[in-house]
């Protein structure tokens, strides 16, 4: 699961009235039809019970194909946590439009994105807000097969990197090469798009940018060990949140209770995955049968402790993480203006510790 182009750049089902801005209320449909105007009311014991409130249907758009970054969502759905909060959640893949577009357009109530994507989106006027960090620290980095002898960023020199054509790639490479005395201009950059990592390193490239929790674990299972250089270990400004959960400014303003309910259930789902990784892996495999059960289990065991890591609670975000990354991007002129961090993320809707 390398970082892909699709990652860098529901509410339609949450009572379509919310998106249209109508004033009707489809929340609880039960009306008390008890005994109305009957002259002789029925005994209390025979009173008709109120109909249960209808569940609010919403969509959650993933950033990519289902994987262990998303386990908490599937656990919350399977274990009934969403239903307990009055939600009927459909988890969908992003399609051609991408999760960010689905959320801002109202097609999905919530979505999975990443800090680097949201930073760029906000500065383009996209009304998207990060409402939770799925993983506390950046688990991505540059990976190479052991036989390429890339054990330091300086070793990128003379090698071929396979990416997707974003200027952020070379900038990230430079950020970790400079302190090691390396020269990013001595790296050959090749655009491999969405090509499979394992095929690409056998054919065209020496290293690529991956998430260890998926591609790195898959390499272990294949018996193809990697040298992994995590971005956060070399450049603190690159220890950003990826992935994150997002909502539109409209949903946050118009339906704050929906956001709270969604995060309350989702937080329980991720806590379940933290506490019971094997059972959580089984839930993901059941929901997405095409996934390799062995890979899902191994990935889940590796990733589960990293959901919360050193944070006080799952989902917590820090202003300095957003500030450090955006300042770095702005300093490189990859952003036209500084980011208004305070409007870009919120911890307001997370459940209390």
């Amino acid at each position: 699961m390398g970082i892909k182009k699709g990652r860098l750049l529901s509410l339609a089902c949450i009572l379509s009235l919310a998106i249209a801005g109508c004033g009707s209320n489809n929340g609880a449909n039960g009306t008390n039809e008890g005994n109305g105007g009957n002259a002789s009311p029925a005994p209390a014991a025979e009173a008709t019970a109120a109909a249960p409130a209808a569940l609010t249907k919403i969509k959650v758009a993933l950033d990519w194909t289902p994987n262990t970054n998303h386990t908490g969502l599937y656990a919350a759905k399977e274990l009934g946590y969403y239903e307990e909060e009055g939600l009927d959640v459909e988890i969908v893949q992003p399609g051609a439009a991408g999760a960010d577009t689905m959320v801002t357009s109202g097609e999905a109530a919530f979505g999975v994105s990443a800090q680097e994507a949201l930073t760029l989106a906000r500065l383009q006027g996209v009304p998207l807000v990060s409402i939770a960090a799925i993983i506390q620290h950046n688990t991505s980095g540059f990976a190479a097969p052991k036989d390429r002898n890339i054990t330091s960023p300086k070793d990128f020199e003379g090698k071929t990197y396979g990416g997707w054509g974003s200027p952020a790639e070379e900038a990230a490479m430079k950020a970790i090469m400079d302190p090691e005395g390396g020269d990013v201009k001595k790296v050959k950059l090749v655009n491999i798009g969405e090509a499979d990592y394992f095929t690409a390193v056998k054919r065209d490239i020496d290293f690529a940018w991956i998430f260890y929790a998926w591609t790195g674990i898959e390499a272990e299972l294949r018996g193809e060990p990697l040298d992994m250089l995590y971005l956060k270990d070399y450049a603190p400004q690159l220890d950003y949140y990826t992935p994150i959960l997002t909502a539109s400014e409209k949903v946050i303003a118009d339906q704050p209770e929906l956001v709270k309910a969604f995060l309350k259930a989702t937080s329980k789902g991720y806590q379940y995955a933290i506490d019971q990784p094997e059972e959580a892996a089984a839930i993901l495999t059941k929901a997405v049968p095409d996934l390799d059960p062995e890979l899902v289990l191994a990935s889940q065991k590796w990733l589960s402790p990293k959901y919360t890591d050193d944070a006080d609670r799952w989902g917590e975000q820090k202003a300095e993480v957003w500030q450090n990354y955006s300042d770095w991007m702005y300093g490189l002129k990859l952003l036209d203006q500084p980011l208004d961090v305070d409007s870009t993320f919120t911890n307001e809707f997370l459940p209390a510790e």
Side-chain angles (χ1 to χ4, degrees), residues 119-192:
T119 296
L120 294 171
R122 291 290 303 188
L123 291 175
Q124 293 168 2
V126 178
L128 202 61
V129 178
S130 176
I131 57 174
I134 291 179
I135 301 171
Q136 274 300 307
H137 294 283
N138 191 346
T139 61
S140 75
F142 296 108
K146 287 279 188 182
D147 62 8
R148 309 304 158 86
N149 298 314
I150 298 177
T151 59
S152 160
K154 192 176 189 317
D155 296 331
F156 294 162
E157 293 182 352
K159 301 294 196 302
T160 300
Y161 166 76
W164 64 94
S166 167
E169 295 171 274
E170 184 174 348
M173 215 176 299
K174 177 177 171 58
I176 71 172
M177 290 182 74
D178 282 355
E180 302 288 314
D183 182 356
V184 71
K185 297 303 180 185
K186 295 181 180 179
V187 181
K188 182 180 179 182
L189 307 180
V190 175
N191 189 337
I192 62 171

Side-chain angles (χ1 to χ4, degrees), residues 247-329:
S248 68
E249 289 181 350
K250 178 174 176 56
V251 170
I252 289 173
D254 295 351
Q255 300 205 39
E257 293 305 316
L258 172 68
V259 184
K260 288 181 182 178
F262 172 72
L263 284 182
K264 180 178 179 181
T266 302
S267 179
K268 290 177 66 176
Y270 277 99
Q271 191 60 52
Y272 180 86
I274 291 167
D275 296 337
Q276 302 186 68
E278 293 186 10
E279 291 83 353
I283 288 174
L284 179 58
T285 302
K286 175 185 174 183
V288 192
D290 290 343
L291 294 177
D292 177 355
E294 184 183 14
L295 173 57
V296 171
L297 178 58
S299 173
Q300 195 64 63
K301 287 181 175 180
W302 187 89
L303 189 59
S304 280
K306 295 174 174 56
Y307 289 135
T308 300
D309 207 297
D310 54 359
D312 293 333
R313 56 179 171 170
W314 176 85
E316 189 81 27
Q317 301 174 82
K318 298 176 181 177
E320 57 262 34
V321 174
W322 286 90
Q323 195 70 62
N324 289 344
Y325 179 74
S326 63
D327 286 350
W328 173 71
M329 292 281 281

